[in-house]
Amino acid sequence: MALDTQHGIPVARTIADLRGEVNAWRKESLTVGFVPTMGALHEGHVSLVEAAKAACDRVVVSIFVNPTQFAPGEDFEAYPRTEAADAEKLKDKAALIFAPNAAEMYAPDFSTTVTVMEVTKDLEGAARPTHFAGVATVVAKLLLAVLPDKAIFGQKDYQQLLTIKRMVRDLNIPVEIVGGPTLREEDGLAMSSRNAYLSPDERKVAGKLNVILRETAHAVAKGAPIPAATEAGIAALMEAGFASVDYLEIRNAETLDPFPSGKPDAPARILVAARIGKTRLIDNMPVE
Ligand code: PAF
């Protein structure tokens, strides 16, 4: 039976239909790129899809707001669901959208969880203790459903990207994980589906997150000790109007371990999560 389409793109709602399409491409020896998303697509997602298209013959984009990566009280219900608008942005880019419902992804007695240790223990993992098990589990399921050659994840969720790379290595899932650059608004705010929650006043404050992050990274790159620089960065965020800062940390860019000496002695990354009103924003960048 022919699949539904949205803006001319076939939409598979079941894993069987998804596999049917991908298997047909495989018979023609076509390569497959994959971009997993939770929808509410913005230019950042589109750039990941374009990167997948440049590298592979066919691109699958999944749209699934994964309940298991949200804790009670987080924004699962409020998370924007905009499938038709999403499909429009994928026109001429994605060859297939995979948009399952929760019942297709999780049996009522689903009882398997993928837990990635080490890289998940701090930062987002400390602030959202059940988050990465939900992400790793759904991404493992999605990768095994699509079996792409390459899967592209945004660097905006830097700890997620490292977590997925570690999982794929540890479980020998035969896919190359590629990190795509963070796209930014004119004032430098990292593009995010959650930016839609911000009021105009909050949006102004949000634009300071990347500026303070960059200044803090710069101070450390020039020799400031990490504890003093991050303390000053947190004070600057509070001064700028953020309600609270979950973390502002400079970590080893590969392992996310802290630098006990207070100086980066390996490639480093600065990572932040801060709240304005009801919105929680994250960002990161290299310390260079
Ligand atoms: O980054 C996201 O949008 C999600 O965490 C992902 C990778 C699609 C898994 O649900």
Side-chain angles (χ1 to χ4, degrees):
M1 209 172 64
L3 297 180
D4 281 356
T5 60
Q6 285 269 28
H7 292 278
I9 306 172
V11 181
R13 308 238 175 239
T14 66
I15 293 173
D17 282 346
L18 163 74
R19 287 190 171 140
E21 295 293 302
V22 174
N23 286 344
W25 299 335
R26 291 293 187 196
K27 281 199 187 112
E28 296 176 54
S29 301
L30 298 171
T31 57
V32 180
F34 176 45
V35 182
T37 82
M38 298 204 298
L41 302 185
H42 50 69
E43 282 170 52
H45 293 110
V46 173
S47 78
L48 302 180
V49 177
E50 282 166 349
K53 188 153 193 248
C56 300
D57 298 318
R58 295 284 183 273
V59 178
V60 180
V61 175
S62 64
I63 297 177
F64 179 60
V65 185
N66 171 39
T68 66
Q69 67 190 77
F70 292 81
E74 290 187 350
D75 56 344
F76 174 68
E77 279 85 16
Y79 204 87
R81 285 150 172 95
T82 55
E83 190 183 291
D86 292 343
E88 191 166 12
K89 294 187 182 123
L90 297 173
K91 234 158 92 181
D92 303 324
K93 297 184 177 77
L96 180 69
I97 293 172
F98 177 48
N101 63 19
E104 176 68 9
M105 292 300 282
Y106 295 109
D109 58 349
F110 187 85
S111 39
T112 302
T113 300
V114 179
T115 305
V116 180
M117 258 94 80
E118 297 306 326
V119 285
T120 63
K121 65 180 190 284
D122 293 341
L123 309 167
E124 286 302 286
R128 306 177 69 191
T130 56
H131 174 65
F132 283 120
V135 170
T137 304
V138 80
V139 172
K141 284 173 64 68
L142 290 168
L143 292 175
L144 293 171
V146 181
L147 287 175
D149 298 279
K150 289 179 200 277
I152 324 270
F153 291 80
Q155 285 176 350
K156 153 118 192 316
D157 295 293
Y158 190 77
Q159 193 174 12
Q160 167 173 284
L161 172 64
L162 291 189
T163 302
I164 301 304
K165 281 188 172 164
R166 189 68 65 98
M167 173 185 80
V168 160
R169 185 203 68 180
D170 289 352
L171 297 183
N172 306 99
I173 300 177
V175 54
E176 183 189 340
I177 302 298
V178 179
T182 301
L183 258 59
R184 294 181 181 278
E185 305 288 354
E186 229 161 80
D187 62 356
L189 176 66
M191 288 187 188
S192 164
S193 308
R194 289 189 168 100
N195 293 351
Y197 300 153
L198 298 167
S199 70
D201 282 347
E202 290 169 347
R203 173 64 188 80
K204 275 193 206 130
V205 175
K208 306 208 173 118
L209 186 65
N210 78 95
V211 177
I212 294 167
L213 201 60
R214 201 173 306 275
E215 283 167 358
T216 308
H218 198 61
V220 171
K222 292 201 117 182
I226 291 172
T230 49
E231 209 175 291
I234 291 169
L237 287 169
M238 298 303 289
E239 177 83 358
F242 283 86
S244 61
V245 179
D246 283 359
Y247 57 82
L248 172 64
E249 301 256 3
I250 291 179
R251 295 293 181 100
N252 182 304
E254 289 298 311
T255 62
L256 293 184
D257 287 337
F259 292 106
S261 69
K263 298 267 177 199
D265 44 26
R269 196 108 189 157
I270 184 165
L271 304 102
V272 69
R275 293 173 195 265
I276 323 175
K278 288 201 174 86
T279 309
R280 184 173 183 278
L281 298 176
I282 63 171
D283 200 353
N284 68 87
M285 54 184 70
V287 177
E288 295 170 325

